[in-house]
Amino acid sequence: MSEYVLEMTGVSKSFPGVKALDNVQLKLRPGKVHALMGENGAGKSTLMKCMFGIYKMDEGQILMDGQPVTISDPMDALTKGIAMVHQELQPIPARTVGENIFLGRYPMKKALGFIPVVDHKKMYADTAELLKKVRMNFDPKQKVGELSVSQMQSVEIAKAVSANCRVLILDEPTSSLTANEVEALFRIIDDLRSENVAIVYISHKMDEILRISDEVTIMRDGKYIGTWDSKQLTTDMIITQMVGREMTNLYPPRSNQPGEVVFEVKDFTSINPRSFRNVSFQLRKGEILGVGGLVGAQRTELMEGLFGIRSHTTGQILYKGKEMNISRPKDAIDQGVAMLTEDRRGSGIMGVLSVADNISISSLNQYLDRGIAINKKKVEALVQDNVRKMNIKTPSSKTAIKSLSGGNQQKVLIGRWLANSPDVFILDEPTRGIDVGAKYEIYCIIADLAKEGKSIIMISSEMSELIGMSDRIMVMCDGRVTGFVNGKDATQENIMAYATQFE
Amino acid sequence: MEKNRDSFASKALKIVTGNPIVFLLLIAAVIVGCSVDNFFSWANFSNLVSNTAVRFLIALGVSGCLITKGTDLSAGRQVGFAACIAGVLCQRGDYTGRLWKWVPEMNIGLVFIIVIIFGLVWGLVNGLIVTKLHVPPFIATLGTQTIIYGISLVITDAQPIGGFQKIYTQLINGRLGSVKSFHLPYLLFVAVLFGLLFYFIYNSTRHGKYMYAIGGNETAAEVSGVNTTATLIRIYATAGVMYAIAGYLLAAKSGGASASMGQGYELEAIAGCTIGGVSTTGGIGTVPGILVGVLVFELLKIILQFLGVNPYYNYVVQGLVIVLAVSLDIRKYIAKK
């Protein structure tokens, strides 16, 4: 008998343009909580998706109890005793707790002796039993949509428990929980540990990791760095291993001179009480303002609020002392604000359309002949200009943007915004999912923009990027701005201290 | 140079393999044409062109909805409504079965404008329901098509309408050249005119670019500053106008109108667009493609007619072609995942 319930060895996985996993290993012991750590984009989620059968590994193998197994899809993973609670919960809100838990494997009975029907009585009785196990006492017949986020999460865990899982993956389970809810979750984890379940715990929160985990595996840039006993580790050691790269030469030298304040946000509050609130900050001409924080700090929501994608209740946005009225993206764009969104596929590229269409969509007014017809030569000139300036690699301007690599897609999107000559440029995770070489090029573009006098707000979850690129760093936690750090004085520690200032 | 020749051959092959249905039908047309008399005749050509022209206008209208991932199930009923309005207003002043005796005999140009205004209104209604009430296009237009059909029945009292002014039917059914030999129906010129207009709109205007952007990724379009609401309303309104024109022409072409006219045309138009390469996943579709798709569908009908197939079977074959064409179209995208 192997001492591990599950082992993954030599796992590699590539996506077009990015090597997401490179010879990674992970070994799980029964009855232990194994923390998996790394910066965003280090490959943790990809590794878990390989284990859970959502992705197919290019190389590597999975052993269970020492025996090689193949996991073809999530259903297969569940039958083998592997369960996963996703970072973004995927319940069916209009159905009951019981139906969600037993989805796809409803207990059946025979009506009139021969017609197979769902045995609701048994299903709800079993659900009640499971809920007791995860220390929750709400009605199994309640609709999941009416539950709080933490309750939904308990339902997901109950679902995992009901499958008699031997390995449970928890992906950022506490990112949207309050302190009390986290305590409740930890009690459930302790229960499961005593039942010999191996738990993979993915989180960015150091204190949680050090408290709950038995072992820690750290990943960086898709590579396996090492596995340690949690008792030997400190927060500093984890951060060093997670970031772990030379800071020199990763970022271009900057010669931008922050000038007078041009952009100011006062007491900005979301209509959603769980989102950003009372945010105030100033941005100078030619300044790069980094925005740091943990996942769930509401940084993206704040920026989308400023850009008119999300609504706010109170607050002012001033540009050169004049109030800006922004209720939708077009308003922001017309007033000189640009925003590169975080979700490149979801709200950035228009996949099937050409590079030319993608790059020109925001600035079509500039290429009109007699106010009606778009002059294709002017659009082509825009494309060629950007291709040259940003070194965009594309076979032609007619190529569909989805066939370009992530880095080149990102450059096209930056080009889209620059065509409008914005004064304030919000960049949300500008280098996410982009390989190291292209990252440097994007850093150079950002540095040049600041030098030209553009004001830049850059959200980043990569500590080193934040420190390496920002003149100033605004840190958020749980929807509030908890502090500002000067770029020169910034360290992982002082940023992390602000980022974990929960109320 | 050699490379160019290579790429020409491979391009040609790509066109054939990329449009298998189109080429199968062309082959079928040649075979039928060689074995059946009168298939290759001016009369048949004229018939095909006239039928295609009206269907093409409807397909152009619905294409904008499809490219933006929507649909318009009210197309057929809007055509019927326009035909009824045109029919009622274009009746001869001395016609005894005149439906609206209180209306004087009207100028057919004025009727054309009235019909277009009604089409615009229906289109705006669809567009507003889709964008402001956030009802999915499928359901929104399912609702409006029922309403429109009802109103058509009320207007016509469920009676067929005839007795049109001569000038109305003669003008629309007019043709350039002799009837027996070479001639081109006026409807061909109408179709060409709108084909060129839509080609220009789709390729060279902001509206066209915004339409493709919404189909490609509506969120991204909105974030990029595209007024998605206004663009979608324009698309549905334009569609309404196109159906109105088609209805006006159709009533004259048939020499009569009734509330049931145009029934099912929305499905033919959607099928034509899809066969012509308008992607059901949005963002893709060209005017020449739509023309080919509609033409193929009409060609299919004529081939079946010439083969003497029981007309009831036509529906079966047409349905099969739709499913086959879309499944082949979808394969192009599935293969890349």
Side-chain angles (χ1 to χ4, degrees), chain B residues 208-223:
Chain B
K209 296 286 177 190
Y210 291 164
M211 174 185 78
Y212 285 113
I214 291 171
N217 185 342
E218 186 166 350
T219 315
E222 177 75 32
V223 169

Side-chain angles (χ1 to χ4, degrees), chain A residues 269-277 297-298 301-302 310 478-480:
Chain A
T269 300
S270 167
I271 55 162
N272 175 357
R274 295 181 72 98
S275 192
F276 58 87
R277 53 194 178 276
Q298 306 293 320
E301 289 78 1
L302 169 64
R310 286 168 195 269
D478 199 20
R480 296 163 296 126

Side-chain angles (χ1 to χ4, degrees), chain A residues 75-135:
Chain A
M75 211 59 214
D76 193 20
L78 279 171
T79 52
K80 290 190 166 74
I82 303 168
M84 182 162 178
V85 177
H86 294 269
Q87 185 175 355
E88 283 125 30
L89 303 174
Q90 295 151 331
I92 304 167
R95 305 311 302 177
T96 65
V97 172
E99 284 172 310
N100 268 277
I101 288 179
F102 286 99
L103 183 67
R105 50 197 173 90
Y106 297 121
M108 304 301 285
K109 67 175 181 188
K110 294 266 159 65
L112 302 174
F114 68 99
I115 307 166
V117 293
V118 175
D119 187 347
H120 284 96
K121 208 169 147 193
K122 180 169 165 32
M123 182 169 84
Y124 287 118
D126 289 356
T127 305
E129 191 77 7
L130 285 165
L131 289 175
K132 220 160 88 194
K133 215 166 171 181
V134 295
R135 298 166 187 265

Side-chain angles (χ1 to χ4, degrees), chain A residues 307 328-330 333 345-350 353 357 361-362 364-365 368 371-374 376 416-417, chain B residues 200 203-206 209-210 212-213 216-217 219-227 282-284 333 336:
Chain A
F307 196 61
R328 55 191 179 132
K330 193 173 186 312
I333 294 165
R345 266 163 183 272
S347 55
I349 64 166
M350 296 168 292
L353 303 193
D357 283 343
I361 191 70
S362 280
L364 288 176
N365 289 342
L368 297 180
I372 301 174
I374 293 163
K376 298 208 166 73
R416 176 193 289 176
W417 290 118
Chain B
F200 174 74
N203 288 286
S204 297
T205 67
R206 277 169 295 179
K209 296 286 177 190
Y210 291 164
Y212 285 113
N217 185 342
T219 315
E222 177 75 32
V223 169
S224 304
V226 175
N227 190 336
I284 297 174
Y333 305 100
K336 280 176 191 161

Side-chain angles (χ1 to χ4, degrees), chain A residues 239 247 290-294 299 460-470 472-477 482-501:
Chain A
I239 290 173
M247 294 287 271
V291 183
L294 300 169
R299 295 168 295 169
S460 175
S461 294
E462 269 185 55
M463 282 287 189
S464 59
E465 176 175 294
L466 213 50
I467 296 169
M469 288 299 297
S470 311
R472 227 158 32 107
I473 297 164
M474 173 168 91
V475 188
M476 290 182 68
C477 175
T482 45
F484 289 87
V485 185
N486 269 320
K488 289 192 195 74
D489 314 327
T491 61
Q492 311 263 359
E493 288 75 19
N494 58 19
I495 293 172
M496 200 49 96
Y498 283 125
T500 51
Q501 241 176 52

Side-chain angles (χ1 to χ4, degrees), chain A residues 170-341:
Chain A
L170 298 173
D171 190 358
E172 301 264 5
T174 60
S175 59
S176 45
L177 300 190
T178 65
N180 283 335
E181 291 167 343
V182 170
E183 289 307 316
L185 175 70
F186 280 8
R187 279 196 296 275
I188 299 171
I189 291 177
D190 278 333
D191 290 347
L192 292 171
R193 177 151 49 187
S194 64
E195 285 171 27
N196 251 353
V197 176
I199 294 163
V200 182
Y201 191 95
I202 302 178
S203 176
H204 287 282
K205 300 182 184 171
M206 303 293 166
D207 50 338
E208 281 179 11
I209 295 286
L210 293 175
R211 223 188 100 191
I212 194 79
S213 70
D214 301 298
E215 285 177 305
V216 179
T217 287
I218 294 175
M219 293 175 66
R220 186 202 312 150
D221 296 333
K223 294 193 179 66
Y224 172 78
I225 302 302
T227 302
W228 291 266
D229 195 319
S230 301
K231 291 191 201 77
Q232 306 166 348
L233 287 172
T234 63
T235 304
D236 285 352
M237 286 165 68
I238 295 174
I239 290 173
T240 312
Q241 294 298 338
M242 270 168 57
V243 180
R245 57 174 93 97
E246 294 292 319
M247 294 287 271
T248 49
N249 290 334
L250 257 176
Y251 303 98
R254 281 183 294 116
S255 52
N256 59 316
Q257 293 289 335
E260 74 280 6
V261 171
V262 287
F263 186 77
E264 193 172 2
V265 174
K266 285 181 181 167
D267 195 34
F268 207 64
T269 300
S270 167
I271 55 162
N272 175 357
R274 295 181 72 98
S275 192
F276 58 87
R277 53 194 178 276
N278 310 112
V279 172
S280 300
F281 68 91
Q282 295 181 328
L283 182 65
R284 292 171 183 280
K285 187 176 163 72
E287 181 183 40
I288 302 177
L289 176 70
V291 183
L294 300 169
V295 171
Q298 306 293 320
R299 295 168 295 169
T300 294
E301 289 78 1
L302 169 64
M303 293 310 153
E304 290 184 348
L306 294 176
F307 196 61
I309 300 174
R310 286 168 195 269
S311 311
H312 62 278
T313 47
T314 60
Q316 272 186 310
I317 311 170
L318 304 167
Y319 182 70
K320 290 187 173 161
K322 228 181 96 201
E323 180 156 6
M324 295 171 117
N325 274 316
I326 295 174
S327 59
R328 55 191 179 132
K330 193 173 186 312
D331 301 335
I333 294 165
D334 291 345
Q335 293 171 81
V337 183
M339 177 166 176
L340 188 71
T341 53

